[in-house]
Amino acid sequence: MPAQRASAPALPSLGGKKPSYRERVADALRAALIAGELRPGEVYSAPALAARFGVSATPVREAMLDLAKEGLVDTVPNKGFRVTAVSEKQLDEYTHIRSLIEIPTTVSLAATADPVALEALRPAAQESVTAAATGDLIAHVEADMRFHLGLLALAGNDHLVEVVRDLRKRSRLYGLHALVKAGRLEASAAEHLDILDALIARDEVAVRAVMTRHLGHVRGLWAAE
Protein backbone atom coordinates (compact mmCIF):
# COMPACT_ATOMS: atom_id res chain seq x y z
CA MET A 1 0.00 0.00 0.00
CA PRO A 2 1.47 3.42 -0.98
CA ALA A 3 2.66 5.74 1.74
CA GLN A 4 -0.02 7.90 3.34
CA ARG A 5 -0.16 11.49 2.13
CA ALA A 6 0.91 14.27 4.42
CA SER A 7 -2.11 16.30 3.37
CA ALA A 8 -5.54 15.33 2.11
CA PRO A 9 -6.02 15.36 -1.69
CA ALA A 10 -8.38 17.82 -3.28
CA LEU A 11 -11.83 16.55 -4.18
CA PRO A 12 -12.79 18.47 -7.34
CA SER A 13 -15.81 17.76 -9.52
CA LEU A 14 -15.45 15.65 -12.65
CA GLY A 15 -17.99 17.74 -14.50
CA GLY A 16 -21.76 17.85 -14.91
CA LYS A 17 -24.12 18.99 -12.16
CA LYS A 18 -22.66 20.25 -8.88
CA PRO A 19 -21.76 17.09 -6.94
CA SER A 20 -22.67 16.30 -3.37
CA TYR A 21 -19.90 15.81 -0.83
CA ARG A 22 -20.48 12.06 -1.03
CA GLU A 23 -20.04 12.22 -4.81
CA ARG A 24 -16.85 14.24 -4.43
CA VAL A 25 -15.45 11.63 -2.06
CA ALA A 26 -16.47 8.87 -4.50
CA ASP A 27 -14.73 10.74 -7.34
CA ALA A 28 -11.51 10.93 -5.33
CA LEU A 29 -11.72 7.23 -4.41
CA ARG A 30 -12.25 6.31 -8.07
CA ALA A 31 -9.21 8.39 -8.99
CA ALA A 32 -7.21 6.61 -6.29
CA LEU A 33 -8.26 3.27 -7.80
CA ILE A 34 -7.34 4.36 -11.33
CA ALA A 35 -3.97 5.74 -10.22
CA GLY A 36 -3.10 2.56 -8.36
CA GLU A 37 -3.13 4.23 -4.95
CA LEU A 38 -5.60 1.54 -3.85
CA ARG A 39 -4.40 -1.88 -4.96
CA PRO A 40 -6.43 -4.89 -6.17
CA GLY A 41 -6.98 -7.58 -3.57
CA GLU A 42 -6.29 -5.23 -0.67
CA VAL A 43 -9.01 -4.67 1.94
CA TYR A 44 -9.52 -1.08 3.08
CA SER A 45 -11.73 -0.03 5.99
CA ALA A 46 -13.83 3.12 5.79
CA PRO A 47 -12.15 4.66 8.91
CA ALA A 48 -8.66 4.04 7.48
CA LEU A 49 -9.59 5.58 4.15
CA ALA A 50 -11.29 8.49 5.91
CA ALA A 51 -8.10 9.21 7.85
CA ARG A 52 -6.04 9.00 4.69
CA PHE A 53 -8.29 11.38 2.77
CA GLY A 54 -8.87 13.74 5.66
CA VAL A 55 -12.65 13.28 5.78
CA SER A 56 -15.15 11.56 8.08
CA ALA A 57 -15.89 7.85 7.81
CA THR A 58 -19.58 8.16 6.90
CA PRO A 59 -19.22 9.71 3.41
CA VAL A 60 -16.35 7.31 2.68
CA ARG A 61 -18.46 4.31 3.64
CA GLU A 62 -21.36 5.60 1.53
CA ALA A 63 -19.03 6.33 -1.40
CA MET A 64 -17.47 2.87 -1.20
CA LEU A 65 -20.94 1.34 -1.31
CA ASP A 66 -21.51 3.30 -4.53
CA LEU A 67 -18.24 1.91 -5.91
CA ALA A 68 -19.35 -1.59 -4.90
CA LYS A 69 -22.50 -1.16 -7.02
CA GLU A 70 -20.23 -0.22 -9.93
CA GLY A 71 -18.16 -3.38 -9.43
CA LEU A 72 -15.00 -1.47 -8.51
CA VAL A 73 -14.81 -2.93 -4.99
CA ASP A 74 -16.37 -5.84 -3.10
CA THR A 75 -17.73 -5.54 0.42
CA VAL A 76 -15.98 -7.67 3.05
CA PRO A 77 -18.27 -8.09 6.11
CA ASN A 78 -16.87 -6.56 9.30
CA LYS A 79 -13.64 -5.56 7.54
CA GLY A 80 -14.28 -3.06 4.76
CA PHE A 81 -13.91 -3.16 1.01
CA ARG A 82 -11.67 -5.20 -1.27
CA VAL A 83 -10.50 -3.60 -4.52
CA THR A 84 -11.48 -5.75 -7.49
CA ALA A 85 -8.81 -6.85 -9.94
CA VAL A 86 -8.85 -5.90 -13.62
CA SER A 87 -7.26 -8.35 -16.06
CA GLU A 88 -4.86 -7.38 -18.82
CA LYS A 89 -7.47 -8.52 -21.34
CA GLN A 90 -10.09 -6.24 -19.78
CA LEU A 91 -7.73 -3.27 -19.83
CA ASP A 92 -6.94 -3.92 -23.49
CA GLU A 93 -10.64 -4.09 -24.31
CA TYR A 94 -11.42 -0.88 -22.41
CA THR A 95 -8.59 0.95 -24.16
CA HIS A 96 -9.65 -0.34 -27.57
CA ILE A 97 -13.22 0.86 -27.09
CA ARG A 98 -11.99 4.22 -25.81
CA SER A 99 -9.78 4.68 -28.87
CA LEU A 100 -12.71 3.93 -31.16
CA ILE A 101 -14.76 6.62 -29.43
CA GLU A 102 -12.38 9.27 -28.15
CA ILE A 103 -10.02 9.69 -31.09
CA PRO A 104 -12.57 10.34 -33.88
CA THR A 105 -14.83 12.35 -31.59
CA THR A 106 -11.99 14.61 -30.50
CA VAL A 107 -10.73 14.97 -34.08
CA SER A 108 -14.21 16.05 -35.20
CA LEU A 109 -14.09 18.91 -32.70
CA ALA A 110 -11.34 20.56 -34.76
CA ALA A 111 -14.06 21.51 -37.24
CA THR A 112 -16.95 22.17 -34.88
CA ALA A 113 -15.85 23.26 -31.40
CA ASP A 114 -16.11 26.86 -30.25
CA PRO A 115 -12.59 28.19 -29.52
CA VAL A 116 -13.92 29.85 -26.36
CA ALA A 117 -15.28 26.52 -25.12
CA LEU A 118 -11.95 24.87 -25.89
CA GLU A 119 -10.03 27.56 -23.99
CA ALA A 120 -12.29 26.97 -21.01
CA LEU A 121 -10.71 23.53 -20.71
CA ARG A 122 -7.17 24.90 -20.46
CA PRO A 123 -7.24 25.20 -16.63
CA ALA A 124 -7.98 21.46 -16.34
CA ALA A 125 -5.22 20.70 -18.83
CA GLN A 126 -2.77 22.83 -16.88
CA GLU A 127 -3.91 21.34 -13.58
CA SER A 128 -3.01 17.88 -14.87
CA VAL A 129 0.49 19.14 -15.68
CA THR A 130 0.91 20.78 -12.26
CA ALA A 131 -0.33 17.68 -10.44
CA ALA A 132 2.01 15.47 -12.48
CA ALA A 133 4.94 17.73 -11.65
CA THR A 134 4.22 17.51 -7.92
CA GLY A 135 3.45 13.78 -7.96
CA ASP A 136 -0.18 14.19 -6.88
CA LEU A 137 -1.55 11.23 -8.79
CA ILE A 138 -5.13 11.55 -7.58
CA ALA A 139 -5.33 15.19 -8.66
CA HIS A 140 -3.67 14.27 -11.95
CA VAL A 141 -6.19 11.53 -12.72
CA GLU A 142 -9.12 13.77 -11.76
CA ALA A 143 -7.86 16.62 -13.95
CA ASP A 144 -7.25 14.19 -16.82
CA MET A 145 -10.81 12.90 -16.46
CA ARG A 146 -12.32 16.42 -16.37
CA PHE A 147 -10.31 17.49 -19.40
CA HIS A 148 -11.20 14.55 -21.65
CA LEU A 149 -14.83 14.31 -20.59
CA GLY A 150 -15.09 18.07 -21.06
CA LEU A 151 -13.77 17.72 -24.60
CA LEU A 152 -16.19 14.92 -25.43
CA ALA A 153 -19.09 16.91 -23.97
CA LEU A 154 -18.49 19.53 -26.67
CA ALA A 155 -19.66 16.95 -29.23
CA GLY A 156 -23.13 17.18 -27.68
CA ASN A 157 -23.66 13.45 -27.02
CA ASP A 158 -24.26 12.91 -23.30
CA HIS A 159 -24.52 9.12 -23.62
CA LEU A 160 -21.11 8.97 -25.31
CA VAL A 161 -19.61 10.92 -22.40
CA GLU A 162 -21.10 8.51 -19.86
CA VAL A 163 -19.81 5.47 -21.76
CA VAL A 164 -16.28 6.88 -21.75
CA ARG A 165 -16.59 7.95 -18.11
CA ASP A 166 -17.44 4.34 -17.20
CA LEU A 167 -14.54 2.92 -19.23
CA ARG A 168 -12.09 5.40 -17.70
CA LYS A 169 -13.06 4.70 -14.10
CA ARG A 170 -12.55 0.96 -14.71
CA SER A 171 -9.01 1.48 -15.98
CA ARG A 172 -5.88 1.02 -13.85
CA LEU A 173 -2.72 3.07 -14.37
CA TYR A 174 -0.19 1.38 -12.11
CA GLY A 175 2.78 2.86 -13.95
CA LEU A 176 2.14 6.44 -12.83
CA HIS A 177 4.35 6.15 -9.73
CA ALA A 178 7.32 5.05 -11.85
CA LEU A 179 6.71 7.88 -14.33
CA VAL A 180 6.73 10.44 -11.52
CA LYS A 181 10.04 9.08 -10.23
CA ALA A 182 11.49 9.20 -13.74
CA GLY A 183 10.18 12.73 -14.31
CA ARG A 184 8.15 11.65 -17.34
CA LEU A 185 4.54 12.06 -16.19
CA GLU A 186 4.65 15.83 -16.62
CA ALA A 187 5.54 15.44 -20.30
CA SER A 188 2.62 13.05 -20.79
CA ALA A 189 0.27 15.50 -19.07
CA ALA A 190 1.51 18.32 -21.30
CA GLU A 191 -0.07 16.49 -24.24
CA HIS A 192 -3.39 17.85 -22.99
CA LEU A 193 -2.16 21.33 -23.89
CA ASP A 194 -0.96 20.04 -27.27
CA ILE A 195 -4.42 18.62 -27.96
CA LEU A 196 -6.04 21.95 -27.14
CA ASP A 197 -3.60 23.92 -29.28
CA ALA A 198 -4.15 21.59 -32.25
CA LEU A 199 -7.94 21.84 -31.88
CA ILE A 200 -7.87 25.62 -31.70
CA ALA A 201 -5.62 25.65 -34.79
CA ARG A 202 -8.23 23.45 -36.56
CA ASP A 203 -5.46 20.96 -37.36
CA GLU A 204 -7.22 17.58 -37.58
CA VAL A 205 -4.03 15.72 -38.52
CA ALA A 206 -2.22 17.02 -35.43
CA VAL A 207 -5.21 16.29 -33.17
CA ARG A 208 -5.37 12.69 -34.38
CA ALA A 209 -1.62 12.22 -33.94
CA VAL A 210 -1.55 13.59 -30.38
CA MET A 211 -4.71 11.77 -29.29
CA THR A 212 -3.45 8.47 -30.70
CA ARG A 213 -0.14 8.87 -28.88
CA HIS A 214 -1.87 10.04 -25.70
CA LEU A 215 -4.30 7.11 -25.49
CA GLY A 216 -1.46 4.76 -26.35
CA HIS A 217 0.09 5.57 -22.98
CA VAL A 218 -2.83 3.90 -21.20
CA ARG A 219 -1.58 0.42 -22.15
CA GLY A 220 2.05 1.50 -22.42
CA LEU A 221 3.78 3.98 -20.13
CA TRP A 222 0.87 4.42 -17.71
CA ALA A 223 0.04 0.74 -17.29
CA ALA A 224 3.48 -0.76 -16.61
CA GLU A 225 4.10 -1.86 -13.04
Side-chain angles (χ1 to χ4, degrees):
M1 178 174 173
Q4 182 170 323
R5 296 177 180 278
S7 58
L11 303 175
S13 165
L14 294 184
K17 65 181 179 63
K18 186 176 180 180
S20 67
Y21 188 69
R22 170 178 172 170
E23 290 170 331
R24 292 174 63 206
V25 172
D27 285 343
L29 290 170
R30 288 189 192 95
L33 285 168
I34 294 168
E37 296 279 2
L38 303 180
R39 306 293 289 191
E42 294 288 333
V43 177
Y44 299 90
S45 70
L49 287 173
R52 180 174 174 179
F53 282 77
V55 297
S56 63
T58 297
V60 169
R61 187 174 292 105
E62 292 174 341
M64 291 299 277
L65 289 172
D66 290 339
L67 268 58
K69 293 176 183 177
E70 297 168 10
L72 303 181
V73 299
D74 293 323
T75 57
V76 181
N78 303 317
K79 290 186 178 180
F81 302 87
R82 179 183 291 111
V83 176
T84 56
V86 181
S87 71
E88 294 292 315
K89 182 176 185 293
Q90 287 174 310
L91 288 173
D92 287 337
E93 290 173 348
Y94 298 158
T95 305
H96 181 220
I97 297 170
R98 283 180 53 190
S99 69
L100 293 176
I101 297 173
E102 292 188 61
I103 294 174
T105 302
T106 303
V107 169
S108 72
L109 294 175
T112 62
D114 180 356
V116 175
L118 290 171
E119 279 294 343
L121 294 170
R122 195 171 293 275
Q126 186 58 57
E127 183 181 337
S128 73
V129 177
T130 301
T134 60
D136 189 339
L137 299 185
I138 294 178
H140 169 70
V141 168
E142 289 183 317
D144 176 81
M145 182 89 80
R146 290 199 310 279
F147 174 76
H148 285 287
L149 295 184
L151 272 182
L152 295 175
L154 297 181
N157 187 328
D158 292 340
H159 185 64
L160 179 150
V161 174
E162 289 308 309
V163 169
V164 173
R165 185 195 302 271
D166 182 70
L167 290 169
R168 280 179 166 268
K169 71 187 181 187
R170 294 179 184 279
S171 298
R172 299 291 185 269
L173 307 176
Y174 298 129
L176 296 186
H177 284 281
L179 287 179
V180 169
K181 291 180 180 179
R184 299 172 65 187
L185 186 58
E186 187 175 357
S188 294
E191 290 174 345
H192 293 144
L193 298 170
D194 295 337
I195 292 168
L196 270 186
D197 291 341
L199 284 169
I200 291 171
R202 305 297 191 192
D203 189 338
E204 294 185 6
V205 174
V207 174
R208 184 177 298 278
V210 179
M211 275 296 299
T212 300
R213 182 171 71 250
H214 192 64
L215 277 186
H217 296 327
V218 174
R219 295 299 292 131
L221 293 176
W222 299 344
E225 287 281 2

Coordinates of all heavy atoms in Angstrom, one line a residue, residues 95 116 153 161 194 225:
T95 N -9.4 0.0 -23.4 CA -8.6 1.0 -24.2 C -9.0 0.9 -25.6 O -9.0 2.0 -26.3 CB -7.1 0.7 -24.0 OG1 -6.8 0.6 -22.6 CG2 -6.3 1.7 -24.7
V116 N -13.7 29.4 -27.7 CA -13.9 29.8 -26.4 C -14.2 28.7 -25.4 O -13.6 28.6 -24.3 CB -15.1 30.9 -26.3 CG1 -15.4 31.2 -24.8 CG2 -14.8 32.1 -27.1
A153 N -17.8 16.3 -24.2 CA -19.1 16.9 -24.0 C -19.4 18.0 -25.1 O -20.5 18.2 -25.4 CB -19.1 17.6 -22.6
V161 N -20.4 10.5 -23.5 CA -19.6 10.9 -22.4 C -19.7 9.9 -21.3 O -18.7 9.6 -20.6 CB -20.0 12.3 -21.9 CG1 -19.3 12.7 -20.7 CG2 -19.8 13.3 -23.0
D194 N -1.2 20.2 -25.8 CA -1.0 20.0 -27.3 C -2.3 19.7 -28.0 O -2.5 20.2 -29.1 CB 0.0 18.9 -27.5 CG 1.4 19.2 -27.0 OD1 1.8 20.4 -26.8 OD2 2.2 18.2 -26.7
E225 N 3.9 -1.8 -14.5 CA 4.1 -1.9 -13.0 C 5.4 -1.2 -12.7 O 6.4 -1.4 -13.4 CB 4.1 -3.3 -12.6 CG 2.7 -3.9 -12.6 CD 1.9 -3.6 -11.4 OE1 2.3 -2.7 -10.6 OE2 0.7 -4.0 -11.3

